[in-house]
Amino acid sequence: MSMPLPIARNNASEPPRLLDLLPALVNRHGCITGATGTGKTVTLQVIAEALSGIGVPVFMADVKGDLSGMAKAGAASEKMTKRLSALGVEAPAWAACPVTFWDVFGENGHPVRATISDLGPLLLARMLNLNDTQEGVLQLVFKIADDNGLLLLDIKDLRSMLQHVGDNAADFRTAYGNISAASIGAIQRGLVAVEQQGGDRFFGEPMLNIDDLLQTDAQGKGIVNILAADKLMNAPRLYAVFLLWLLSELFENLPEVGDLDKPKLVFFFDEAHLLFSEAPKPLLQKIEQVVRLIRSKGVGVFFITQNPLDIPDAVLGQLGNRVQHALRAYTPRDQKAVKAAADTFRPNPALDTAQVITELEVGEALVSFLDEKGRPNMVERAFILPPASQIGPIDDAGRQRAMAQSVVAGVYEQGIDRESAHELIAARAAAAEQAESPAPRVRTPAGGARSQAPESAPDTSFGGMLGGLFGAGNSKRQSPVEAMVKSAARSIGSQVGREIIRGVLGSILKRR
């Protein structure tokens, strides 16, 4: 059984006592909420640091760049010394955490990529802000690609597939239904907008291997995976889709393990309101399903946001460990949020929770963690303990050193562009164009004219050989048997070509 993790200290009790987070119950999830500047980032840092110390890897998004300081040991500044004296606690053993930096754009961390096929039409429609009709057309495009064994790996694959389907919409209408040219155009425009925001660098190969997030260092400390999200926040839909895709990948790939002494990974969703704002109902249902079931995979999820009302009730009800920093009740909505936050805690007779929420100072919070039986403790007013790593960002040189020493250094830096939908569609178009062009004619010695096209080579394909056996090998028209065999061959080739995996948030169907 792992030792409890001290996170905060209640100085109002006699004697003052520490409030502990139990590692075995971290997979019951949690949330950290509060207004801007009240200390949410430091609370996140303290929890992540404590988990790393017992060998639990964590993943978090660094929106402001402050969390990069976890790669460097802290120091006893004058302000920190006063803080420790006021809390009546000893200075921590200053130490850095083992950190791996990631970046969708590949600038301030190792590149993170996913394929279009793995993302799936549901999340892609969310990112492109498509309406229901346009999303339906996008799903048809994915279906046609699957049926024809065309891999959609990067944006140029999807654009080529969209153009191909749009140009041949009449051919697909009978089997797949109407395909609107206006919807195809809307999707193409959305892809252009994603490319202009730099999102095209997110799609491609090599795709992120989830196992690379579950590493420990030589001392047994869990790796702290930090996503550089300061630039990514300029594309909030891409940010939300990336985090949801990553959560679905964990859900899909990790085995069932039940309840462990400590989680296998803890996932922190910063700016969680971006995940749920304007999300369609099917996507919200999927998120709720994943949050509910990923506990048995040994994964804990923490949502960090300003207002508890940002999190849907169905998801909020799954979050057992809670830290509430100050809220400001300046507007009717703020007052409603204060009341909602107070009502979610287990009441403490000695505390007026709704009143205290508006009085908390920076670094102070209302804390309620689960006890050893999985019950929420009564809410207590407490000060968050200081972290052992640096508060605030590190310089670029320190970041580069950490990246060079990372266990994945050199693995993802070089992109791969293998044959996929774009190349295959272009090759078929070129072959069709060449077949339609008339062959030049030359004069024969006898004065006659003949085609310069070379004699056709014998058909050595499976269908051609069988066709020849039935006497149809040299006929311009296919015999019934030859047509049947070639149809079966195409079907088999299509099935083999479908090496396409959809995450649970990417699509309803999943093929391996």
Side-chain angles (χ1 to χ4, degrees):
M1 193 74 176
S2 298
M3 296 292 293
L5 307 176
I7 303 298
R9 178 184 173 94
N10 183 355
N11 285 350
S13 62
E14 279 297 334
R17 65 190 190 87
L18 296 174
L19 305 183
D20 298 327
L21 178 64
L22 301 181
L25 296 171
V26 172
N27 66 343
R28 301 302 199 276
H29 312 316
C31 64
I32 303 170
T33 55
T36 300
T38 56
K40 297 191 302 296
T41 301
V42 174
T43 301
L44 165 60
Q45 183 173 341
V46 170
I47 294 177
E49 187 178 271
L51 290 167
S52 173
I54 61 171
V56 177
V58 301
F59 182 93
M60 61 181 70
D62 190 7
V63 174
K64 301 186 293 290
D66 294 344
L67 292 173
S68 63
M70 297 185 70
K72 185 176 180 181
S77 63
E78 181 180 351
K79 184 177 179 180
M80 179 63 71
T81 302
K82 290 181 180 179
R83 177 76 169 177
L84 294 172
S85 177
L87 292 178
V89 298
E90 296 182 358
W94 308 110
C97 294
V99 170
T100 297
F101 290 106
W102 302 92
D103 186 0
V104 167
F105 304 107
E107 297 172 357
N108 293 316
H110 304 293
V112 184
R113 300 184 186 90
T115 64
I116 291 284
S117 286
D118 197 75
L119 202 69
L122 185 62
L123 283 179
L124 194 59
R126 156 81 164 145
M127 187 178 69
L128 299 177
N129 196 25
L130 304 181
N131 61 31
D132 292 342
T133 301
Q134 295 159 355
E135 181 180 344
V137 170
L138 183 62
Q139 289 177 342
L140 286 179
V141 171
F142 271 75
K143 173 66 175 171
I144 294 170
D146 289 358
D147 290 347
N148 289 273
L150 298 173
L151 290 175
L152 302 177
L153 302 180
D154 50 30
I155 280 187
K156 70 177 185 297
D157 288 331
L158 182 56
R159 296 186 71 169
S160 294
M161 194 68 206
L162 286 165
Q163 182 176 348
H164 174 68
V165 171
D167 292 343
N168 300 276
D171 298 334
F172 295 118
R173 184 176 295 119
T174 302
Y176 299 97
N178 289 329
I179 299 173
S180 167
S183 295
I184 294 288
I187 300 170
Q188 292 279 32
R189 288 192 297 273
L191 291 176
V192 171
V194 169
E195 286 182 298
Q196 290 177 342
Q197 294 176 356
D200 56 318
R201 281 177 277 180
F202 171 55
F203 298 108
E205 292 183 312
M207 193 173 77
L208 175 67
N209 185 348
I210 292 298
D211 291 337
D212 288 336
L213 303 180
L214 307 176
Q215 304 296 321
T216 57
D217 69 357
Q219 287 72 42
K221 289 186 176 182
I223 299 295
V224 178
N225 298 279
I226 299 178
L227 174 70
D230 49 346
K231 184 177 179 180
L232 187 60
M233 287 301 297
N234 295 326
R237 288 188 179 273
L238 177 60
Y239 171 75
V241 165
F242 167 74
L243 292 183
L244 291 175
W245 166 78
L246 195 55
L247 186 62
S248 70
E249 284 294 294
L250 292 169
F251 180 80
E252 287 290 307
N253 290 285
L254 294 180
E256 296 278 344
V257 294
D259 292 325
L260 303 173
D261 289 344
K262 59 184 180 181
K264 298 178 67 174
L265 177 73
V266 178
F267 197 91
F268 292 91
F269 276 103
D270 201 1
E271 301 294 338
H273 64 280
L274 297 176
L275 308 178
F276 306 109
S277 61
E278 302 177 9
K281 188 175 181 180
L283 183 58
L284 288 177
Q285 291 173 343
K286 287 293 181 182
I287 297 172
E288 178 190 352
Q289 177 191 17
V290 171
V291 172
R292 190 189 303 262
L293 300 178
I294 204 170
R295 176 191 66 79
S296 62
K297 309 273 188 170
V299 176
V301 180
F302 275 72
F303 294 93
I304 299 92
T305 188
Q306 294 187 17
N307 196 320
L309 297 179
D310 295 335
I311 305 174
D313 291 342
V315 176
L316 191 62
Q318 307 294 321
L319 312 180
N321 301 291
R322 303 194 177 189
V323 179
Q324 175 66 61
H325 287 275
L327 288 175
R328 311 305 178 202
Y330 298 137
T331 67
R333 186 177 186 276
D334 293 341
Q335 294 169 3
K336 182 180 178 181
V338 168
K339 187 178 185 306
D343 291 343
T344 60
F345 286 105
R346 179 182 172 186
N348 185 341
L351 206 62
D352 184 349
T353 307
Q355 179 65 30
V356 170
I357 288 178
T358 62
E359 299 173 349
L360 297 170
E361 62 178 89
V362 176
E364 192 179 15
L366 292 174
V367 179
S368 176
F369 294 139
L370 298 177
D371 64 15
E372 57 276 357
K373 294 184 178 181
R375 303 170 301 187
N377 284 304
M378 286 192 300
V379 61
E380 298 187 54
R381 184 174 182 171
F383 288 94
I384 303 300
L385 297 175
S389 56
Q390 175 177 297
I391 297 177
I394 60 172
D395 56 22
D396 291 340
R399 184 185 291 268
Q400 293 301 322
R401 283 195 300 271
M403 291 174 59
Q405 298 168 3
S406 169
V407 294
V408 295
V411 175
Y412 296 100
E413 275 66 21
Q414 186 63 43
I416 300 173
D417 187 12
R418 61 183 170 121
E419 186 179 66
S420 49
H422 174 73
E423 290 78 13
L424 291 175
I425 291 173
R428 291 177 186 179
E433 183 178 351
Q434 184 177 2
E436 291 176 358
S437 60
R441 303 185 68 82
V442 298
R443 304 293 297 180
T444 63
R450 65 176 177 86
S451 173
Q452 197 177 13
E455 295 183 3
S456 58
D459 189 353
T460 59
S461 68
F462 181 53
M465 289 188 290
L466 281 184
L469 289 176
F470 285 90
N474 296 323
S475 174
K476 293 183 179 179
R477 298 182 59 187
Q478 291 183 352
S479 69
V481 174
E482 185 181 9
M484 178 188 70
V485 171
K486 289 187 176 181
S487 176
R490 283 195 300 268
S491 176
I492 294 171
S494 174
Q495 195 70 27
V496 171
R498 286 185 215 161
E499 300 175 359
I500 297 172
I501 300 173
R502 302 270 193 273
V504 70
L505 293 181
S507 177
I508 303 298
L509 300 177
K510 174 173 176 289
R511 300 187 181 95
R512 290 194 180 278

